[in-house]
Amino acid sequence: MPDLSGLVVLVTGASAGIGRHLAEGLAARGAAVAGLARGGERLRAAMDDVAAATGGRTLAVPADVTDAAAVDAAVARVTAELGPVGLLVNNAGAIDAAEVLLWEADPEQWWSVVESQVRGPFLLARAVLPGMLAAGGGRVVGLASGLGTRGDARYSAYSAGKSAQMRITEAIGLAGAGHGVRAFDVAPGVVDTAMTRAMPMHAGRTEWTRPADVVDLVVAIAAGELDAWSGRFLRAGADTLDALRATTPAGDARRLRLLPYGDADPLA
């Protein structure tokens, strides 16, 4: 079990679901964990529970990830009370309200999903990265999805947002490479949460990704064990830590790219 003592972590969407699991898993390994979410009361209760369960230091910072001023203030508070953020986990994000075709979607709700998946991670990274650069490095994890690697007829907003978030991860990885900053897309699989239970596509599902698999993957990233995978896509519950540690990906492996139609494709 890696010891993350001395590491300051900021997890968005930390009051429930995967974010809550990650907050507790990271705190249990010694990290000081700041949780960010819109609902202050539920967030504070969750962070208090994490502290009680782990003995770790936690901080609840209510904020809307799509509000630039609120994000800047939240990161400033975390830095003042816990120290510079060494690991940012962009977990918060909404999903399409209904499984409908794109032309049937409500424009405001559709765009709010994209904003949560793109504007949120951008604003958090923009606020956190200067501190990482000043400290000589850090790591950013974006909670990804298989729907970000392919289109989907009925989850067009979520798919578009997750694809864009992967481009943000790659941009951070490329720009930060010479400064000790690394970034990763971590797809959690299908974890049993209120959000996934509400999705008709998962109706009747009986097999779920274990939350522990997601936690273990992010902990390994936090400990610096998977730095060779910076800028690339990892999948909890499918990728094993032994295989990831033993593999150095090359070229465009696990990156979002166009596939050529054949050897004669001029874009190949």
Side-chain angles (χ1 to χ4, degrees):
M1 182 183 294
D3 182 2
L4 301 180
S5 298
L7 179 67
V8 175
V9 179
L10 175 56
V11 180
T12 68
S15 60
I18 295 171
R20 170 67 172 73
H21 286 295
L22 287 170
E24 182 166 340
L26 291 159
R29 289 158 176 85
V33 179
L36 188 151
R38 285 182 298 181
E41 185 174 341
R42 185 168 73 155
L43 177 64
R44 283 186 284 270
M47 291 299 99
D48 286 347
D49 288 346
V50 167
T54 65
R57 187 179 181 190
T58 64
L59 177 66
V61 189
D64 181 343
V65 298
T66 65
D67 182 327
V71 167
D72 287 346
V75 172
R77 181 183 169 196
V78 173
T79 302
E81 297 192 27
L82 299 181
V85 176
L87 173 68
L88 167 64
V89 182
N90 279 316
N91 165 73
I95 195 163
D96 304 59
E99 287 189 347
V100 297
L101 302 176
L102 183 143
W103 54 85
E104 298 172 345
D106 174 81
E108 295 303 318
Q109 201 277 328
W110 193 97
W111 187 244
S112 71
V113 172
V114 175
E115 274 201 311
S116 73
Q117 303 291 352
V118 183
R119 181 175 170 85
F122 160 69
L123 290 176
L124 264 300
R126 178 177 175 273
V128 166
L129 284 170
M132 288 187 179
L133 294 171
R139 295 173 179 86
V140 178
V141 171
L143 263 289
S145 170
L147 289 180
T149 66
R150 62 184 186 274
D152 190 272
R154 296 183 181 274
Y155 285 96
S156 58
Y158 186 77
S159 178
K162 287 299 186 186
S163 295
Q165 189 178 358
M166 290 177 68
R167 290 301 191 211
I168 292 174
T169 296
E170 188 173 356
I172 295 170
L174 291 170
H179 304 278
V181 174
R182 297 169 176 88
F184 309 81
D185 286 308
V186 173
V190 186
V191 177
D192 189 358
T193 66
M195 186 183 85
T196 52
R197 286 276 182 184
M199 297 169 66
M201 69 184 294
H202 296 308
R205 176 181 286 273
T206 57
E207 294 185 6
W208 306 88
T209 306
R210 298 185 316 142
D213 291 336
V214 187
V215 172
D216 288 347
L217 189 51
V218 174
V219 167
I221 289 171
E225 297 176 2
L226 303 179
D227 283 352
W229 290 88
S230 180
R232 302 174 192 267
F233 181 96
L234 308 175
R235 207 289 201 170
D239 285 320
T240 68
L241 287 177
D242 286 344
L244 292 173
R245 292 185 186 113
T247 303
T248 300
D252 290 331
R254 292 290 185 92
R255 288 178 172 148
L256 194 61
R257 295 291 186 269
L258 287 174
L259 294 175
Y261 62 68
D263 292 340
D265 190 336
L267 298 184

